[in-house]
Amino acid sequence: MSETPQNESTDSAVPSNPSDTPDFSAMTRDIAEVPAVEVIVTVAVNLMSAAAVKLGLTEEGDEYKDLDEARKLIHTLAGLLDAGVPEISSFHASPLRDGLKSLQLAFREASFVPDEPGQGPGEKYTGPVYG
């Protein structure tokens, strides 16, 4: 039986060639050029997309459905919007709020035992959501 010596690294994540390392200063510059509103909207859209997948609303349907995961994503999205909406224009906020409400309603519909009004994902921030 052969063992790997303690001091020998088997980490394949370490680049073997210095040119393979990411240019963090360029990434920082790129991020610095992105307006905050764009970052907030991008994060919100990513949370919405992930929640839709976990609710089974994609072409794959129930293959990736996981209501526990969807609850976490929707709740996080609601918290982000609660904190971020005052910082962005209604032009950006309105569709995000509509998307959140649609996800909350889809969650309620997908649940075998629906939450009481005001207890669903994100309703701590949005108040009760009715269909």
Side-chain angles (χ1 to χ4, degrees), residues 7 11-12 17 48 58 80 83-84 94 98-99 115 131:
N7 61 358
D11 186 3
S12 61
N17 184 348
M48 285 180 174
T58 60
L80 172 68
S94 184
D98 291 344
D115 296 312

Side-chain angles (χ1 to χ4, degrees), residues 93-104:
S94 184
L96 295 175
R97 285 185 180 139
D98 291 344
L100 171 59
K101 183 177 181 180
S102 294
L103 290 169
Q104 289 172 310

Side-chain angles (χ1 to χ4, degrees), residues 88-111:
I88 62 177
S89 68
S90 60
F91 173 78
H92 295 291
S94 184
L96 295 175
R97 285 185 180 139
D98 291 344
L100 171 59
K101 183 177 181 180
S102 294
L103 290 169
Q104 289 172 310
L105 291 171
F107 183 90
R108 186 170 297 281
E109 187 176 305
S111 297

